[in-house]
PDB file of all heavy atoms in Angstrom:
ATOM      1  N   MET A 148     137.510 145.362 135.978  1.00  0.00           N
ATOM      2  CA  MET A 148     138.053 144.091 135.498  1.00  0.00           C
ATOM      3  C   MET A 148     137.510 142.932 136.318  1.00  0.00           C
ATOM      4  O   MET A 148     137.131 141.880 135.781  1.00  0.00           O
ATOM      5  CB  MET A 148     139.584 144.116 135.572  1.00  0.00           C
ATOM      6  CG  MET A 148     140.230 145.028 134.541  1.00  0.00           C
ATOM      7  SD  MET A 148     139.965 144.462 132.836  1.00  0.00           S
ATOM      8  CE  MET A 148     140.873 142.932 132.876  1.00  0.00           C
ATOM      9  N   ILE A 149     137.465 143.119 137.629  1.00  0.00           N
ATOM     10  CA  ILE A 149     136.941 142.071 138.522  1.00  0.00           C
ATOM     11  C   ILE A 149     135.463 141.816 138.226  1.00  0.00           C
ATOM     12  O   ILE A 149     135.006 140.682 138.152  1.00  0.00           O
ATOM     13  CB  ILE A 149     137.148 142.465 139.994  1.00  0.00           C
ATOM     14  CG1 ILE A 149     138.637 142.494 140.325  1.00  0.00           C
ATOM     15  CG2 ILE A 149     136.416 141.508 140.914  1.00  0.00           C
ATOM     16  CD1 ILE A 149     138.963 143.047 141.694  1.00  0.00           C
ATOM     17  N   SER A 150     134.702 142.903 138.041  1.00  0.00           N
ATOM     18  CA  SER A 150     133.269 142.771 137.759  1.00  0.00           C
ATOM     19  C   SER A 150     133.036 142.053 136.440  1.00  0.00           C
ATOM     20  O   SER A 150     132.133 141.218 136.291  1.00  0.00           O
ATOM     21  CB  SER A 150     132.604 144.150 137.725  1.00  0.00           C
ATOM     22  OG  SER A 150     132.720 144.772 138.985  1.00  0.00           O
ATOM     23  N   LEU A 151     133.890 142.403 135.440  1.00  0.00           N
ATOM     24  CA  LEU A 151     133.758 141.775 134.129  1.00  0.00           C
ATOM     25  C   LEU A 151     134.070 140.287 134.197  1.00  0.00           C
ATOM     26  O   LEU A 151     133.356 139.458 133.613  1.00  0.00           O
ATOM     27  CB  LEU A 151     134.699 142.461 133.139  1.00  0.00           C
ATOM     28  CG  LEU A 151     134.648 141.962 131.678  1.00  0.00           C
ATOM     29  CD1 LEU A 151     133.235 142.130 131.113  1.00  0.00           C
ATOM     30  CD2 LEU A 151     135.657 142.704 130.820  1.00  0.00           C
ATOM     31  N   LYS A 152     135.148 139.966 134.939  1.00  0.00           N
ATOM     32  CA  LYS A 152     135.501 138.553 135.109  1.00  0.00           C
ATOM     33  C   LYS A 152     134.376 137.794 135.819  1.00  0.00           C
ATOM     34  O   LYS A 152     134.044 136.660 135.482  1.00  0.00           O
ATOM     35  CB  LYS A 152     136.808 138.423 135.888  1.00  0.00           C
ATOM     36  CG  LYS A 152     138.041 138.851 135.105  1.00  0.00           C
ATOM     37  CD  LYS A 152     139.286 138.692 135.954  1.00  0.00           C
ATOM     38  CE  LYS A 152     140.524 139.115 135.167  1.00  0.00           C
ATOM     39  NZ  LYS A 152     141.760 138.988 135.984  1.00  0.00           N
ATOM     40  N   GLY A 153     133.801 138.445 136.841  1.00  0.00           N
ATOM     41  CA  GLY A 153     132.701 137.809 137.575  1.00  0.00           C
ATOM     42  C   GLY A 153     131.501 137.585 136.679  1.00  0.00           C
ATOM     43  O   GLY A 153     130.831 136.547 136.749  1.00  0.00           O
ATOM     44  N   LEU A 154     131.219 138.592 135.843  1.00  0.00           N
ATOM     45  CA  LEU A 154     130.081 138.481 134.920  1.00  0.00           C
ATOM     46  C   LEU A 154     130.315 137.369 133.907  1.00  0.00           C
ATOM     47  O   LEU A 154     129.412 136.593 133.600  1.00  0.00           O
ATOM     48  CB  LEU A 154     129.876 139.815 134.215  1.00  0.00           C
ATOM     49  CG  LEU A 154     128.686 139.891 133.251  1.00  0.00           C
ATOM     50  CD1 LEU A 154     127.378 139.627 133.994  1.00  0.00           C
ATOM     51  CD2 LEU A 154     128.636 141.267 132.571  1.00  0.00           C
ATOM     52  N   ILE A 155     131.559 137.278 133.422  1.00  0.00           N
ATOM     53  CA  ILE A 155     131.895 136.228 132.453  1.00  0.00           C
ATOM     54  C   ILE A 155     131.761 134.853 133.112  1.00  0.00           C
ATOM     55  O   ILE A 155     131.207 133.914 132.535  1.00  0.00           O
ATOM     56  CB  ILE A 155     133.315 136.430 131.899  1.00  0.00           C
ATOM     57  CG1 ILE A 155     133.364 137.689 131.032  1.00  0.00           C
ATOM     58  CG2 ILE A 155     133.766 135.210 131.093  1.00  0.00           C
ATOM     59  CD1 ILE A 155     134.772 138.075 130.586  1.00  0.00           C
ATOM     60  N   ALA A 156     132.274 134.740 134.345  1.00  0.00           N
ATOM     61  CA  ALA A 156     132.204 133.463 135.059  1.00  0.00           C
ATOM     62  C   ALA A 156     130.753 133.054 135.303  1.00  0.00           C
ATOM     63  O   ALA A 156     130.382 131.888 135.159  1.00  0.00           O
ATOM     64  CB  ALA A 156     132.964 133.566 136.382  1.00  0.00           C
ATOM     65  N   LEU A 157     129.938 134.060 135.689  1.00  0.00           N
ATOM     66  CA  LEU A 157     128.517 133.782 135.914  1.00  0.00           C
ATOM     67  C   LEU A 157     127.824 133.350 134.632  1.00  0.00           C
ATOM     68  O   LEU A 157     127.014 132.418 134.621  1.00  0.00           O
ATOM     69  CB  LEU A 157     127.846 135.029 136.488  1.00  0.00           C
ATOM     70  CG  LEU A 157     126.344 134.899 136.785  1.00  0.00           C
ATOM     71  CD1 LEU A 157     126.083 133.798 137.829  1.00  0.00           C
ATOM     72  CD2 LEU A 157     125.789 136.243 137.271  1.00  0.00           C
ATOM     73  N   SER A 158     128.201 134.027 133.529  1.00  0.00           N
ATOM     74  CA  SER A 158     127.603 133.682 132.232  1.00  0.00           C
ATOM     75  C   SER A 158     127.982 132.261 131.824  1.00  0.00           C
ATOM     76  O   SER A 158     127.150 131.495 131.332  1.00  0.00           O
ATOM     77  CB  SER A 158     128.064 134.681 131.163  1.00  0.00           C
ATOM     78  OG  SER A 158     127.649 135.991 131.478  1.00  0.00           O
ATOM     79  N   VAL A 159     129.265 131.934 132.025  1.00  0.00           N
ATOM     80  CA  VAL A 159     129.729 130.578 131.690  1.00  0.00           C
ATOM     81  C   VAL A 159     128.979 129.549 132.525  1.00  0.00           C
ATOM     82  O   VAL A 159     128.569 128.493 132.028  1.00  0.00           O
ATOM     83  CB  VAL A 159     131.250 130.457 131.913  1.00  0.00           C
ATOM     84  CG1 VAL A 159     131.687 128.995 131.811  1.00  0.00           C
ATOM     85  CG2 VAL A 159     132.002 131.306 130.903  1.00  0.00           C
ATOM     86  N   LEU A 160     128.791 129.860 133.826  1.00  0.00           N
ATOM     87  CA  LEU A 160     128.078 128.945 134.718  1.00  0.00           C
ATOM     88  C   LEU A 160     126.632 128.744 134.267  1.00  0.00           C
ATOM     89  O   LEU A 160     126.115 127.624 134.235  1.00  0.00           O
ATOM     90  CB  LEU A 160     128.129 129.483 136.150  1.00  0.00           C
ATOM     91  CG  LEU A 160     127.392 128.641 137.200  1.00  0.00           C
ATOM     92  CD1 LEU A 160     128.003 127.249 137.297  1.00  0.00           C
ATOM     93  CD2 LEU A 160     127.446 129.339 138.564  1.00  0.00           C
ATOM     94  N   VAL A 161     125.964 129.860 133.910  1.00  0.00           N
ATOM     95  CA  VAL A 161     124.567 129.781 133.461  1.00  0.00           C
ATOM     96  C   VAL A 161     124.467 128.972 132.173  1.00  0.00           C
ATOM     97  O   VAL A 161     123.590 128.119 132.018  1.00  0.00           O
ATOM     98  CB  VAL A 161     123.987 131.196 133.258  1.00  0.00           C
ATOM     99  CG1 VAL A 161     122.631 131.121 132.565  1.00  0.00           C
ATOM    100  CG2 VAL A 161     123.862 131.908 134.599  1.00  0.00           C
ATOM    101  N   ILE A 162     125.392 129.251 131.241  1.00  0.00           N
ATOM    102  CA  ILE A 162     125.385 128.521 129.958  1.00  0.00           C
ATOM    103  C   ILE A 162     125.613 127.031 130.192  1.00  0.00           C
ATOM    104  O   ILE A 162     124.948 126.176 129.595  1.00  0.00           O
ATOM    105  CB  ILE A 162     126.463 129.101 129.014  1.00  0.00           C
ATOM    106  CG1 ILE A 162     126.068 130.507 128.560  1.00  0.00           C
ATOM    107  CG2 ILE A 162     126.647 128.192 127.796  1.00  0.00           C
ATOM    108  CD1 ILE A 162     127.157 131.245 127.801  1.00  0.00           C
TER     109      ILE A 162
END
Side-chain angles (χ1 to χ4, degrees):
M148 289 295 295
I149 293 172
S150 298
L151 183 59
K152 289 180 180 179
L154 182 60
I155 292 172
L157 180 61
S158 298
V159 170
L160 179 62
V161 170
I162 291 171

